[in-house]
Amino acid sequence: MTLPSQENVTQYIAQAGAAAWQVPQLGEGIQRRSILKVGVIGAGTMGGGISMNFATAGIDVTIVEQKPEALHRGLGVVRSNYQRSADKGRFPQTEVEARMRRLNGQLSLKALNDCDLIIEAVFENMDLKRQIFSSLDEIAKPGAILATNTSALDIDEIADVTKRPQDVIGLHFFSPANVMKLLEIVRAEKTSDEVVATSMDLAKKINKIATLVGVCPGFVGNRILFARQVQGQKLLYKGVMPWDTDKAMNAFGFKMGNFQMSDLAGLDIGWSKGEKTDNPIRDALCEMDRRGQKTKSGYYDYDAARRPIPSDITANIIKDITGVEPTHMSHDQITETCIFPMINEAVKILEENKVQRPSDIDVVWLNGYGWPADKGGPMYYADMIGAKEILKKMEELGADDPAYTPAATLRHMAKNGGKFIEIDTGGLKTTRS
Ligand code: NAD
């Protein structure tokens, strides 16, 4: 492995961050729409945090919920977040009240008829999102930007229900949305230049780091995350325990390993009682009400200080389901198994033109997923490792599962050389795949 100096990595990260704002395809003179009033649908985990970004920046927000209790709860969380910051001396009490005054809670979508931008943050369900966009098409004023915060759904399918797909875009905030810097701006097939340019400018105004990406399952960040998470699950079937995988990921530099992250997010995302999914270990944990940190147990047990403790119960479930005895695997082997598929997936994303440039992938992972800064991002790190070594591992992993066959560009680079951070995509393409 070639180790770059910390100075080189820092310089690269700064350049990558600056490049992400550039969208050459937009050209000069694209009009920006004025965003003076924002609507947010859903006051849950994401809707509340998203609203805070705008209220903090001095922009009025109307938040719509279905029921008074949900609205009350959501606004209560926002207030206590602001209050905590004021109590720490970050701003005066008057600022808490000023920000809260900018938030207007409502129970009908009709209240959004004067908003310049509307961001939907309801449950991750395509039918529900399509139903909401269909209503917004009737309610929103002409020229309003209609955005979805979906984590992984097809935004073209959402835009299809409206008569104004040029105004539909993905604004993918990360949790907690008032804290996390990253914003994936997802350009759908028909999104207009004006809407993209306005969204990029707005991202700056609310102090985010934006990257422009295309529509594909999970977009850039989550698509690459899935690759890592799936490998963690596969390792369970080889007898590698969750805490061993996490230890290797922590040693690599991630604060959150695969299973620590799952426990934090909640194991019950995409699960419902009695359901058998393609992840029987997760299903079994959920059936025992081990749904992650929120139930004080998941893959791990948690002590009173919320410290994760390896769990015998989880170890027994894994053994019962996999039939495999726990085994030792070196940190290096675990790291290759989890990280190289992320690089391979990133190369496929570049081949599909779902991102503008390789360094944008690094910006996403540095700012949205805690990629260790000394390793520059997945693409920068790939150049430290070299294509040959990554290909060797991917040939092994791809032999078991076609989803992990090596990307054509990876094969090409292993044979002919070239740098990952110089893979030329020719820009983002938004045609449907
Ligand atoms: P959540 O369950 O915390 O909140 C969803 C809220 O939407 C609930 O309060 C619900 O009452 C409300 N709602 C449902 N239907 C509604 C309707 N018709 N009108 C008004 N309100 C309605 O969910 P969340 O975690 O905030 O996720 C919201 C969206 O954000 C999802 O698409 C999710 O995939 C995406 N997302 C989530 C995260 C995350 O880490 N939680 C990160 C990025 C994106």
Side-chain angles (χ1 to χ4, degrees):
M1 183 179 3
T2 327
L3 281 177
S5 70
Q6 193 50 49
E7 196 186 336
N8 282 354
V9 190
T10 309
Q11 201 177 20
Y12 168 77
I13 291 175
Q15 281 165 355
W21 291 105
Q22 308 304 318
V23 187
Q25 280 166 323
L26 290 181
E28 294 290 306
I30 300 293
Q31 289 267 325
R32 267 63 170 173
R33 297 185 190 171
S34 137
I35 308 292
L36 301 175
K37 192 153 193 204
V38 171
V40 174
I41 310 172
T45 310
M46 295 308 291
I50 292 169
S51 303
M52 287 177 73
N53 287 294
F54 295 100
T56 301
I59 298 171
D60 287 335
V61 184
T62 300
I63 312 183
V64 175
E65 256 293 348
Q66 276 174 308
K67 299 215 168 88
E69 309 82 78
L71 185 59
H72 186 71
R73 192 191 54 226
L75 288 172
V77 171
V78 170
R79 176 176 275 284
S80 61
N81 283 340
Y82 279 143
Q83 191 60 55
R84 232 187 344 263
S85 297
D87 292 344
K88 286 183 188 154
R90 298 213 177 111
F91 44 75
Q93 186 63 32
T94 49
E95 185 58 26
V96 176
E97 306 310 326
R99 292 179 189 187
M100 288 308 296
R101 269 197 303 276
R102 289 183 200 120
L103 299 170
N104 164 25
Q106 292 288 335
L107 295 169
S108 161
L109 291 179
K110 290 194 181 115
L112 302 172
N113 64 357
D114 61 348
C115 291
D116 305 302
L117 161 68
I118 301 170
I119 305 172
E120 165 278 309
V122 303
F123 308 127
E124 186 78 339
N125 175 297
M126 180 56 95
D127 290 341
L128 175 61
K129 289 191 194 276
R130 278 167 64 95
Q131 200 185 314
I132 284 182
F133 273 73
S134 176
S135 304
L136 289 181
D137 199 22
E138 303 297 319
I139 292 163
K141 68 183 190 187
I145 296 177
L146 309 182
T148 172
N149 182 51
T150 177
S151 307
L153 296 176
D154 184 339
I155 299 176
D156 287 319
E157 254 187 68
I158 296 173
D160 279 347
V161 298
T162 73
K163 291 182 283 302
R164 38 173 133 176
Q166 72 282 359
D167 293 332
V168 177
I169 195 163
L171 292 180
H172 184 209
F173 290 82
F174 290 73
S175 181
N178 52 317
V179 176
M180 294 296 287
K181 281 284 181 196
L182 182 67
L183 180 64
E184 277 186 330
I185 297 185
V186 194
R187 181 168 199 164
E189 186 185 30
K190 295 187 178 146
T191 313
S192 72
D193 280 355
E194 233 179 78
V195 168
V196 172
T198 305
S199 301
M200 296 291 287
D201 281 8
L202 192 65
K204 255 196 187 133
K205 190 162 184 187
I206 60 170
N207 205 18
K208 296 290 177 196
I209 295 173
T211 49
L212 185 63
V213 304
V215 175
C216 57
F219 316 122
V220 168
N222 281 343
R223 181 167 160 184
I224 294 173
L225 176 67
F226 295 151
R228 184 186 86 168
Q229 298 299 85
V230 167
Q231 294 303 330
Q233 289 294 328
K234 284 175 185 267
L235 283 175
L236 298 177
Y237 286 79
K238 294 190 169 153
V240 181
M241 291 292 107
W243 26 95
D244 293 331
T245 296
D246 283 350
K247 246 187 235 153
M249 289 298 97
N250 297 153
F252 182 80
F254 281 117
K255 276 213 185 86
M256 289 265 144
N258 302 35
F259 298 94
Q260 292 155 336
M261 188 185 254
S262 296
D263 269 3
L264 179 68
L267 302 191
D268 51 359
I269 296 176
W271 171 86
S272 45
K273 196 148 184 61
E275 197 188 346
K276 300 248 175 299
T277 70
D278 57 4
N279 189 344
I281 296 170
R282 184 276 302 261
D283 295 349
L285 290 168
C286 286
E287 291 296 347
M288 294 176 74
D289 212 29
R290 299 182 64 96
R291 291 182 286 119
Q293 281 199 22
K294 61 185 166 190
T295 54
K296 299 195 177 63
S297 63
Y299 286 104
Y300 291 89
D301 293 330
Y302 289 87
D303 66 13
R306 281 193 166 194
R307 274 185 302 249
I309 301 160
S311 159
D312 289 343
I313 297 174
T314 302
N316 285 333
I317 289 175
I318 293 170
K319 203 171 133 193
D320 281 353
I321 292 178
T322 63
V324 177
E325 289 293 332
T327 187
H328 172 76
M329 195 181 262
S330 73
H331 275 191
D332 282 355
Q333 278 177 300
I334 295 173
T335 302
E336 286 179 9
T337 306
C338 289
I339 305 284
F340 291 3
M342 296 168 70
I343 295 167
N344 192 52
E345 198 62 38
V347 174
K348 289 182 181 174
I349 290 172
L350 285 160
E351 287 172 344
E352 292 169 27
N353 297 92
K354 297 299 182 191
V355 67
Q356 291 196 96
R357 51 183 84 79
S359 62
D360 285 3
I361 291 169
D362 291 344
V363 170
V364 167
W365 266 78
L366 285 162
N367 295 292
Y369 297 84
W371 182 278
D374 63 339
K375 296 186 180 69
M379 295 289 88
Y380 190 87
Y381 177 68
D383 282 324
M384 286 161 66
I385 299 293
K388 280 197 182 119
E389 208 175 318
I390 298 167
L391 176 63
K392 202 165 117 213
K393 187 73 193 175
M394 291 317 301
E395 279 178 330
E396 182 196 317
L397 297 174
D400 282 354
D401 183 344
Y404 293 91
T405 49
T409 307
L410 177 65
R411 281 192 191 287
H412 180 86
M413 287 173 65
K415 197 164 165 222
N416 304 302
K419 289 179 85 176
F420 286 91
I421 56 168
E422 288 170 3
I423 296 174
D424 187 2
T425 64
L428 190 77
K429 293 207 180 80
T430 53
T431 39
R432 294 185 196 205
S433 34

